[in-house]
Structure formats: structure tokens, C-alpha cells
Amino acid sequence: MPTLSRDALAAATDSAHGFGIRIEGVEQDFGSYPALRDVSLDIAPGELVALLGPSGSGKTTLLRVIAGLNTPDRGAVYFGDEHATNLSVQERRVGFVFQNYALFKHMTVADNIAFGLKARPRRSRPSRVAIYQRVTELLELVQLEGLGERYPAQLSGGQRQRVALARALAIEPRVLLLDEPFGALDARVRKDLRRWLREIHKKTGLTTVFVTHDQDEAMELADRVVVLNQGRIEQVGPPEELYDHPASPFVISFVGEAVALPVKVVDGHVEFGGRELHVDTHGLRDGAARVFFRPADIAIGGQGVGDLEGRVESLRRTAGGVRATIAIDGYDQTLEIDSALSSGAKLGGRIPLSFSNARIFPSDPISDSEFKEAGDGI
């Protein structure tokens, strides 16, 4: 990736670490539909944060509240120490990048980038020379040197998204906001732009918040991920924390793949299909529960000993061994498990299974429905 020049970096932001954002008890209703429910969140200066969740979870509404495009019904938004709830988009000085680019088709790339600067009131508008210099620096920053006189229709999707980002950076934003910025692009271009955006963020230090429903995108890009579900924050943390220590059935099923076994907790012991599972109940009360584990956490056991038993329904060779499709006794779905050639798995044979890591949550109508919305099982 080309090295960014000092001038191009200076053009991206007027603050080395951006502004922190504080959201306190924000709620937003659309008629009888609560889009946001008592949302509170602190975003550190210079942090790159992903808002992750399924459609209707409230992630785009929250981004619009931060931008000033939506006014919350309740709660407050702060930029640094400044109360920003009633400030306009212009007064907040945010850079906003939309999924569909929102470029002016009749304007050249250079004019699109310069638009926010030229639209300023005369007293705060830079000179023509300063605007030209800034546009040139930003074209270098987004690696589109020499394309300033082209029109959006003459660019690829990835190039148009870079122009949209340059236009957002042109106004020297205090905060950069992106609404599913790569959603309209194909998988390969998305992957390339993820690396590029991470590099831009690293160099500029702007506080950045982006919306996505793609867990891989959130896990790869973000310093921290905010998982939203039905207008509420389920969990906030670094990607590895969400994956390894999920706080709810929704999080474990939405962030990565998960298997859920319906179990009973009796006197601190976990029972499934007449077997006792070796799972720490963490003081969970007796009653119905679900044990969740990742596919990578289950393995074919040895010596006929395991937490579960199953039947091998299919086997296929992989580069590192075999992939076995297994029907677990008492479970209505099959599992795919990668194993070594020496595991002893045979087509149609019965094998013991054990898992190295598992989480248990109480079973209730709310958590069960949320788990199904996130994707029940594999």
C-alpha cells in the first residue's frame, strides 16, 4: 500500500486523536416502534468503533443520532465536553459517508470533494487556492491522484467510495461516521477497502464510527464492537472479547457460529439426553437452560469417553484431516467437525464427543427468540 505523505495526513484531520463521543440514555421512537431503548455509550478519542447488528437493531438510527440527522426523543449526545444534542450536522462538524456514495453525478471528482468547503459561509470559506490544495492532498490520501477531472460514472464502485470518504474528510471533521460503507461492493473490493480504511484511520487518528451487519467486517476493522439487538446494546468490547466471552445468547449466536443444546440444570449439574455435561453453571439456578459452544470447541473424543455421543453421517477429506458430519443423540441438527485422520471416525460409526469450552445461559422465551433471530445453530 502506498505511503501517505505528511501533507495528505494533515489534510485529513485537524486533531491528532479526534473527539470523544458520549451517549447518555438515548431513546428514539418511530410511532409505536422503539428504535433505540436507553442506549448509553462512551467512545474514546481516536477510537474505531463498529455498530453491529441485524436489520432493525437500531444501529443506523444510533449513527444518525450521533450525526445530528435524528434528534433523540430522550437522552443526550456529547462531543468531548460539548453538549451536542441540539446542534445541527454542520455545527457538529461530522464527516458522513453513505452506503450509496451520495455523490453529485454532474460534478467532477474534484468538485465533489470540494463541495463542503465551497458551501461554507463566505466568512469561513477557504480561498480557491486553499480548496484546490486540499482537494489535491485528499486525492493523494485516497489514492486517486490524477482522477480529479473524471465524473463518478467513470469510476469503479471502490473508487466512488474513496471519493465519498475524501469529501467527508475535506471539511476537517471532528468525527467520521460511515453507514455500511462497503455494503454495495463485491466481496473482493470490500476486503481491499477494509485494509485501506484501517490504514487511513491509523494515520489520521480520527474518531470513527461505522455501521455494519457483517460480523467479519466488524471483527477485522474495529477497536471495539457494539452489538445491538432490538434497539438495545447487548455487549460492547474488543472483537476477541465478544467472541470468547459473549454476554448473552444473542451475542454468541450473532458473532460467529454457535450450537445450542437445550439442557436442564439440577443441583448445579447440567443434564442433556440422560448424560451429565461438564459445564460450569456459574451459580445458575435450577431449571431449563441452553449450553452454547463453537464448532471449533468440540472434538471427537478418545477411549469411548465424551460429553456427548453421535453418529457419523458423512466424511470428506480436507487439507488438514477430515471433516465429519455428525448427528448428535438428542439434537435435531447435524454438526460439522474438523478432525485429524487418526481420530478413528468411520462412516456410520458411533463416536464420543467432547467440548473444550462452553457457555450456559438460562432458557426463557425472550432469550430463545433472540437466539433464533440471530441464527439458531449452524
Side-chain angles (χ1 to χ4, degrees), residues 356-368:
S356 57
N357 187 30
R359 303 280 292 180
I360 187 167
F361 294 98
S363 182
D364 60 73
I366 294 178
S367 66
D368 286 354

Side-chain angles (χ1 to χ4, degrees), residues 233-253:
I233 292 179
E234 290 270 346
Q235 189 172 355
V236 181
E240 62 273 14
E241 180 180 310
L242 267 62
Y243 191 86
D244 295 332
H245 304 287
S248 69
F250 180 85
V251 174
I252 195 172
S253 53

Side-chain angles (χ1 to χ4, degrees), residues 142-352:
V142 300
Q143 301 164 13
L144 294 176
E145 302 97 316
L147 301 184
E149 296 308 309
R150 291 193 183 182
Y151 288 87
Q154 297 173 300
L155 303 178
S156 68
Q159 289 173 326
R160 289 197 291 271
Q161 193 58 280
R162 291 174 188 237
V163 175
L165 180 58
R167 183 178 62 184
L169 293 173
I171 63 169
E172 297 179 337
R174 298 191 290 180
V175 171
L176 182 62
L177 307 176
L178 305 99
D179 188 7
E180 303 219 34
F182 311 135
L185 304 172
D186 63 50
R188 183 169 183 175
V189 175
R190 282 203 308 269
K191 190 172 182 179
D192 290 341
L193 285 183
R194 286 177 198 167
R195 291 195 298 266
W196 174 76
L197 179 60
R198 185 72 200 181
E199 177 71 7
I200 293 288
H201 176 265
K202 181 180 178 181
K203 298 293 185 180
T204 63
L206 269 174
T207 305
T208 303
V209 184
F210 72 97
V211 161
T212 183
H213 64 272
D214 185 330
Q215 58 176 286
D216 291 336
E217 191 167 279
M219 302 290 270
E220 180 180 340
L221 272 174
D223 298 320
R224 286 193 303 155
V225 179
V226 181
V227 181
L228 287 125
N229 178 36
Q230 297 183 352
R232 292 190 176 92
I233 292 179
E234 290 270 346
Q235 189 172 355
V236 181
E240 62 273 14
E241 180 180 310
L242 267 62
Y243 191 86
D244 295 332
H245 304 287
S248 69
F250 180 85
V251 174
I252 195 172
S253 53
F254 192 77
V255 180
E257 296 179 316
V259 176
L261 298 179
V263 299
K264 289 183 179 180
V265 178
V266 180
D267 296 330
H269 299 282
V270 180
E271 297 179 355
F272 172 77
R275 303 172 67 91
E276 180 179 345
L277 306 185
H278 298 91
V279 178
D280 187 348
T281 61
H282 304 289
L284 199 66
R285 290 183 296 181
D286 288 0
R290 280 180 179 263
V291 167
F292 292 80
F293 55 89
R294 307 286 190 191
D297 294 329
I298 192 166
I300 296 174
Q303 311 299 319
V305 177
D307 290 291
L308 303 168
E309 285 188 0
R311 184 184 70 258
V312 180
E313 295 201 336
S314 70
L315 286 170
R316 63 182 184 274
R317 184 67 187 270
T318 63
V322 294
R323 174 162 294 183
T325 302
I326 299 173
I328 293 180
D329 294 351
Y331 187 64
D332 60 0
Q333 297 186 41
T334 58
L335 309 181
E336 287 197 347
I337 300 172
D338 290 320
S339 187
L341 288 172
S342 59
S343 65
K346 296 180 180 180
L347 188 62
R350 297 189 60 78
I351 53 173

